[in-house]
Amino acid sequence: METQIVTLLFGSFLGLLLLGAPITVALGVSSLISFLYLDENPIKFVQIAFTSVGSFPLMALPAFILAGALMEAAGISKRLINVAESLAGPFTGGISAATVMACLFFGAISGSGPATTAAVGMLMIPAMIERGYGRGYASAITASSGGLGIIIPPSIPMVIFGIAALGMAPPPEAVEKFGTFQSVSISKLFIAGFVPAFLIASSLLVMNYILSKKRGFKGSAEGWSPRGVLCEMYRGFWSLMAPLVILGGIYSGFFTPTEAAIVAIFYTLVVGVVIYRELTWASLFQSLESTTWLTGRVLLILFTATVFGRLLVENKIPAIIADNMLSFTDNLYVIWALIIFFLLFVGMFMETLATILILVPVMLPVAYSVGIDPIHFGVVMVCTLGIGFQTPPLGENLFIASGISNITIEKISIRALPFAAVNTIAIFIIAFFPELSLWLPRFFGY
């Protein structure tokens, strides 16, 4: 029965994808077919799906999306980019290094890879081309750095991972062997992602310096001075305060991630209307429209992927996969390598949020079975899937950068390969040294 269900569930899912069906349709139809085959009441399908979108932590998703859109419309993102550019100065690869830092700054308020790429790329790609950078290189560094948007907290994929993992208890045999595992929470995931985000950003900066030195790319023409940096920081004071308010409130325990997202919206409205006076009715409605579209798409995927995952769990598919993997090897580092390469491959073809919702019920039990901490696993999973934003054929960041720079995706993809390679090395370091992810949550008392 289990083999037949796996064949039916994954066979119909892959068949629909090959026919060109949207992933939401493929997930929903394959799950419904399996429900009917098992002679389950279809009402259960609707009940599971409805429960999946009714959780309180999920409210953070549309709120953070709206906060990111409003910050771009209010001029906050533009000022963050100016600060990053002033810090980089005239040094080798200075403008492209500023792009990496700007993505890090903007990711700390948007939580989205494509949104980060679009906001930063609109300003930095033309600036790099104007200063003699190749179009392909300028687009590649922006697309690669945009992936930081889902690693640096607050991260939308981490919210989704937290929701997907909340109801999954570790197997009793894993608890007996390794002891009690810590519980999963979105706040812990946010804090745990901080150090890995800076490690990946550092790897991008190192590769950027090497490639820029080879190609002779320089920084800004104005030169670097402490006075210039301080002036930009003064002009962008309220922009710099945005991530401090959001993350400071979460880490101090003053409010939950969901409440932090609402605070971010009100903060942006006050800054955009009263202080910067750049937020107009037109841009406000445009932000609401883009938030509604993106949130609706995500919720539809969540709706169907939850049912898909429940079918896997109820038919003990994750346990079978874990047993097969452990029969192949019980070496923790080999298992990590298998997980990372599998996620890299899947990330090339599937949307990040859908991948998380589909694979968490399958792969988290495997992680428990070899003693991997669930928070550590979540950070590595999100970091690895972040590379999918810069690798074809799906590569959403590549499409955005291509549209801005008016260069083919193939040319950008080739120039993005060194950044994908150095990111992969950084992810292996994060996976093999769990304290990089876990010491900060422990420091904050989680």
Side-chain angles (χ1 to χ4, degrees):
M1 177 65 79
E2 289 168 351
T3 306
Q4 292 170 331
I5 284 297
V6 172
T7 304
L8 185 63
L9 188 63
F10 282 100
S12 55
F13 174 65
L14 294 173
L16 286 163
L17 286 180
L18 290 173
L19 288 172
I23 192 166
T24 305
V25 174
L27 286 168
V29 171
S30 59
S31 300
L32 185 58
I33 290 171
S34 301
F35 259 85
L36 296 174
Y37 176 80
L38 291 168
D39 201 25
E40 295 270 9
N41 190 336
I43 294 298
K44 185 181 177 183
F45 179 100
V46 179
Q47 289 172 337
I48 295 170
F50 179 78
T51 304
S52 70
V53 296
S55 62
F56 176 72
L58 191 60
M59 287 177 61
L61 176 67
F64 274 128
I65 293 173
L66 178 58
L70 287 174
M71 285 177 183
E72 184 178 356
I76 289 177
S77 59
K78 179 175 66 178
R79 288 167 175 82
L80 287 174
I81 291 168
N82 290 340
V83 172
E85 190 171 357
S86 70
L87 287 169
F91 308 110
T92 299
I95 297 294
S96 45
T99 302
V100 177
M101 291 189 288
C103 287
L104 200 62
F105 289 159
F106 190 75
I109 53 178
S110 76
S112 166
T116 301
T117 304
V120 175
M122 288 294 290
L123 296 172
M124 297 305 289
I125 290 177
M128 283 187 275
I129 294 171
E130 188 180 324
R131 288 174 173 84
Y133 286 65
R135 285 181 180 269
Y137 185 83
S139 304
I141 186 67
T142 307
S144 302
S145 304
L148 294 169
I150 71 165
I151 304 169
I152 190 77
S155 160
I156 292 171
M158 283 185 182
V159 173
I160 298 298
F161 179 90
I163 292 166
L166 277 175
M168 295 190 63
E173 55 271 19
V175 175
E176 184 179 343
K177 185 176 181 181
F178 299 104
T180 305
F181 292 87
Q182 67 171 321
S183 61
V184 176
S185 78
I186 295 171
S187 296
K188 282 186 204 174
L189 287 164
F190 280 178
I191 299 172
F194 215 88
V195 174
F198 277 94
L199 178 62
I200 292 174
S202 299
S203 70
L204 288 171
L205 288 170
V206 170
M207 180 56 68
N208 170 66
Y209 178 81
I210 293 169
L211 295 176
S212 296
K213 192 172 182 65
K214 181 180 177 181
R215 292 173 169 83
F217 296 151
K218 300 294 183 183
S220 61
E222 289 78 15
W224 187 90
S225 70
R227 178 182 173 82
V229 173
L230 289 173
C231 286
E232 289 299 339
M233 291 181 74
Y234 175 76
R235 294 189 192 102
F237 173 78
W238 295 105
S239 299
L240 292 169
M241 284 296 292
L244 291 177
V245 169
I246 298 166
L247 301 179
I250 295 172
Y251 296 166
S252 65
F254 192 71
F255 38 70
T256 66
T258 303
E259 293 164 346
I262 306 302
V263 170
I265 291 171
F266 277 100
Y267 179 88
T268 305
L269 288 172
V270 171
V271 172
V273 174
V274 178
I275 300 174
Y276 292 159
R277 299 182 181 181
E278 293 185 20
L279 191 61
T280 62
W281 283 108
S283 60
L284 175 61
F285 283 119
Q286 187 177 358
S287 299
L288 289 169
E289 184 181 348
S290 61
T291 300
T292 304
W293 180 84
L294 182 56
T295 303
R297 191 182 71 169
V298 172
L299 289 180
L300 278 173
I301 295 172
L302 177 62
F303 193 93
T304 51
T306 302
V307 183
F308 191 92
R310 181 71 68 86
L311 277 168
L312 292 175
V313 172
E314 288 182 352
N315 290 279
K316 301 179 181 177
I317 308 305
I320 295 170
I321 293 172
D323 290 340
N324 289 336
M325 188 175 285
L326 293 174
S327 67
F328 171 72
T329 179
D330 60 355
N331 185 295
L332 179 61
Y333 299 109
V334 175
I335 288 174
W336 261 129
L338 291 172
I339 289 172
I340 290 170
F341 284 125
F342 176 68
L343 289 173
L344 286 172
F345 175 76
V346 172
M348 293 170 63
F349 299 95
M350 286 182 63
E351 188 181 42
T352 302
L353 302 182
T355 304
I356 292 171
L357 289 164
I358 294 169
L359 293 183
V360 165
V362 177
M363 303 189 74
L364 190 56
V366 176
Y368 280 132
S369 300
V370 292
I372 297 173
D373 183 274
I375 298 296
H376 180 216
F377 178 77
V379 169
V380 174
M381 185 178 199
V382 171
C383 290
T384 307
L385 292 176
I387 296 180
F389 284 110
Q390 67 191 78
T391 51
L394 185 61
E396 293 175 73
N397 290 2
L398 296 176
F399 286 95
I400 293 169
S402 173
I404 295 170
S405 62
N406 197 27
I407 189 174
T408 63
I409 291 173
E410 290 79 8
K411 291 182 179 179
I412 301 174
S413 301
I414 292 171
R415 287 162 179 79
L417 286 176
F419 298 110
V422 77
N423 277 358
T424 303
I425 293 169
I427 287 166
F428 271 97
I429 293 171
I430 295 163
F432 290 170
F433 298 95
E435 283 303 307
L436 288 171
S437 304
L438 300 178
W439 76 268
L440 198 57
R442 196 177 298 122
F443 175 79
F444 280 96
Y446 285 95

